[in-house]
Amino acid sequence: MVQATIKPTPAKTRDVQVATIGNNTQVLRSRTWDRLKFEIEYSRQKGTTSNSYLIQADQIALIDPPGQSFTQIYLETLEKSFNWHKLDYIILQHVNPNRLATVQVLAGKAPQAKIICSKPAVNALKAALTFPEWQTRIQVVREGDTLDLGQGHQLQFISVPTPRWVDGFCTYDPQSKILYTDKFFGAHLCDEPIFDDNWKQLDQDRRFYFDCLHATQTKQLETALDKFTAFPNKIYAPAHGSLIKYSLSRFSYDYRQWCQQQKAQELKVVLLYASAYGNTATMANAIAQGLVQSGVAVESINCELASTEEITQAIQTCDGFIIGSPTLGGHAPTQIQTALGIILANAAKTKLAGVFGSYGWSGEAIDVLENKLRDAHYSLGFEPIRVRFSPTATTLEECQQAGREFTQKLKKTKKLRTPKQAVTETQIDRTEQAVGRIVGSLCVLTTFHDNQHSGVLTSWVSQATFNPPGLMIAVAKEQNADLIRNPGDKFVLNILNEGRNVRRNFSYQSSNSFNNLNTKTASNGCLIIEEALAYLECTVHSRMESGDRTLIYAVIDCGEVLENHGITAIQHRKSGSHY
């Protein structure tokens, strides 16, 4: 991540810069040369602009009025452009408490104007607008909806929800070919140029903005980028910084590259949260910055927006997780309780955990999260962080430090648990790599007999010979031993990956279904489980009856490691007399 460089610019008076950027279209850049807020995204201290856009065709639309820091000077400037009673639409591409202060004044000055927003923004607007009759002026738009202002300005709306802005959408004007991108493609930098004439000098500011706002939501960002390619854009009009005209393709390319860099990080942390008033979300963003700065891929999940399937998949594939919650009526929100249940059912105990949250009076939700995770024997990467009401600058720095501390413990844990004899395909062939993963490992043995696929869980596996490569398996009669009793019988040994819950589909006593598993057929006809760490295709060579088990010696025909950075799952038993 690009580190913040503290170079404050000389103080100047706040103002609103107005310029024509297209047919019937103006930008109003509310400017401050000072650091606007204490949030981390402003820490380069180069000021910022809050960009709003005015389209005056047959009908008049105002896009994204600024927050309350600029309300007065913004409205004074706007009054010089048109009569309030001629304003038809106020378009809010996302809603936050800061912006609502300006919206309230606008709604009062232009009582005839409709307020355009997405469905998730409606509740926030209804709570903010003082008079009940204003609520009838809210017009909800969805993906693909249009708004015709006349003279070719038929605005098209593009839904782009993210964990941070669940109500987000962007707007495209085909007349001017301007894409109003809101929080995408911005930078916190206050200067004179309207457009990106000096775009080569903006790289660090753009990257820092990306890291602060989007590094934790790359999945949703890539979806948005794919949608943007459908429009013949000439200008990107973001909420902050200069408008993008001369570096459209370069900036889009940079966003995709930065997304790929985040996903390519060796370690991944899932950050789950819900936020009633924005305070817990602010803490989550600060923790995420500490993680990103330390070289960890972070996936932010707003539990109010995510499905149980999305949370489950994220928990199963991460190296560590952090969960944050507000306290509402002495409890965690239902969405956080659901997420906690998913964690306890799916997250391996070896995964590092973290807890944080905000509260108004008591903070029971944070205690519940901590106690549940400790009782389930999860290790915490930092001491739980509790904030009463809104976080301060000091608190946010503490959150950042917690993210860095979590990363250091995660890296240490990963190093201790990573096999020391790791090799690459250039050193030895794939089959030998797969054989090297057999260390008393937890495996699923799959067979194919009478057009029926079967699988059974076993951990009684050991490498038996080097040349030819062979292994020994001890199986019981109740484990369908008859299916691999005879020389020439084929099977696949799927060596399981620590942290993946494949084992729940099987038991030691019986073969179960392969439902909910991704599989493919091996060359010997048996199934390969794609979530496994490695697999070996084997042929039975000989057998020997021994006590209550049959010892099977098999020759390994071929094999492959499916996940180079995984760790072999081990079966830990408390007694040698039973599984």
Side-chain angles (χ1 to χ4, degrees), residues 326-441:
T327 298
L328 304 176
H331 303 281
T334 302
Q335 298 91 336
I336 290 297
Q337 294 180 37
T338 300
L340 178 60
I342 293 172
I343 288 171
L344 295 175
N346 292 275
K349 301 300 184 289
T350 54
K351 294 187 178 183
L352 199 61
V355 174
F356 68 98
S358 62
Y359 62 96
W361 301 107
S362 50
E364 291 94 340
I366 307 162
D367 295 331
V368 168
L369 291 176
E370 178 188 0
N371 293 335
K372 289 286 187 182
L373 292 175
R374 288 193 188 277
D375 289 347
H377 305 295
Y378 291 99
S379 298
L380 299 187
F382 55 82
E383 285 301 310
I385 304 174
R386 297 170 172 82
V387 172
R388 188 174 183 186
F389 300 117
S390 300
T392 64
T394 301
T395 304
L396 294 183
E397 176 54 39
E398 180 186 348
C399 290
Q400 267 195 289
Q401 181 57 38
R404 292 189 283 266
E405 181 181 340
F406 190 92
T407 302
Q408 292 306 310
K409 289 188 177 180
L410 188 62
K411 289 180 177 179
K412 183 178 180 180
T413 302
K414 189 78 171 178
K415 184 177 180 180
L416 289 173
R417 299 187 66 249
T418 300
K420 294 183 178 180
Q421 296 181 349
V423 290
T424 64
E425 289 184 11
T426 58
Q427 294 172 302
I428 56 177
D429 67 39
R430 294 180 177 180
T431 300
E432 290 176 341
Q433 285 189 56
V435 173
R437 296 308 201 271
I438 304 177
V439 188
S441 55

Side-chain angles (χ1 to χ4, degrees), residues 88-90 114-119 122 125 134-142 145-147 157 169:
D88 297 288
Y89 300 101
I90 302 169
K114 286 190 174 294
I115 301 174
I116 306 293
C117 67
S118 65
K119 188 174 181 179
V122 171
L125 274 175
W134 288 3
Q135 296 182 10
T136 62
R137 295 161 52 188
I138 298 174
Q139 181 175 328
V140 172
V141 294
R142 297 174 176 81
D145 285 354
T146 61
L147 178 64
F157 300 111
F169 67 89

Side-chain angles (χ1 to χ4, degrees), residues 41-67:
E41 66 190 81
Y42 298 95
S43 61
R44 286 178 69 81
Q45 299 192 30
K46 292 187 175 184
T48 192
T49 70
S50 184
N51 301 336
S52 178
Y53 301 93
L54 181 65
I55 303 173
Q56 300 186 75
D58 296 338
Q59 293 184 299
I60 299 176
L62 185 64
I63 301 175
D64 288 343

Side-chain angles (χ1 to χ4, degrees), residues 442-458:
L442 194 60
C443 306
V444 172
L445 189 153
T446 60
T447 58
F448 183 64
H449 185 71
D450 290 337
N451 293 319
Q452 174 93 23
H453 287 289
S454 299
V456 67
L457 191 67
T458 181

Side-chain angles (χ1 to χ4, degrees), residues 12 25 53 90 118 152 174 182 187 197 234 264 273 278 339 358 361 371 380 429 452 468 491 551 557 562 567:
K12 295 182 182 179
T25 307
Y53 301 93
I90 302 169
S118 65
D182 192 25
D197 309 65
K234 287 188 176 180
Y273 67 92
S358 62
W361 301 107
N371 293 335
L380 299 187
D429 67 39
Q452 174 93 23
F491 66 91
L551 299 183
D557 302 315
L562 300 177
I567 299 174

Side-chain angles (χ1 to χ4, degrees), residues 1 211 215-216 218 261-271 287-299 318-322 403-411:
M1 175 178 178
D211 284 340
T216 65
T218 55
Q261 289 172 14
Q262 286 301 313
K263 293 194 296 184
Q265 298 286 7
E266 182 179 359
L267 296 175
K268 174 186 170 184
V269 174
V270 172
L271 186 58
I287 293 172
Q289 292 318 303
L291 295 166
V292 171
Q293 289 171 0
S294 304
V296 172
V298 182
E299 181 178 359
C318 71
D319 297 289
F321 60 89
I322 302 173
R404 292 189 283 266
E405 181 181 340
F406 190 92
T407 302
Q408 292 306 310
K409 289 188 177 180
L410 188 62
K411 289 180 177 179

Side-chain angles (χ1 to χ4, degrees), residues 482-517:
D482 289 339
L483 298 180
I484 52 171
R485 289 180 66 90
N486 301 312
D489 287 343
K490 305 287 187 180
F491 66 91
V492 167
L493 189 72
N494 294 274
I495 304 162
L496 300 190
N497 195 357
E498 180 67 57
R500 303 290 178 87
N501 286 293
V502 174
R503 62 182 298 174
R504 67 172 61 186
N505 293 269
F506 306 91
S507 72
Y508 283 99
Q509 287 76 34
S510 63
S511 59
N512 253 329
S513 71
F514 292 89
N515 293 340
N516 304 319
L517 291 177

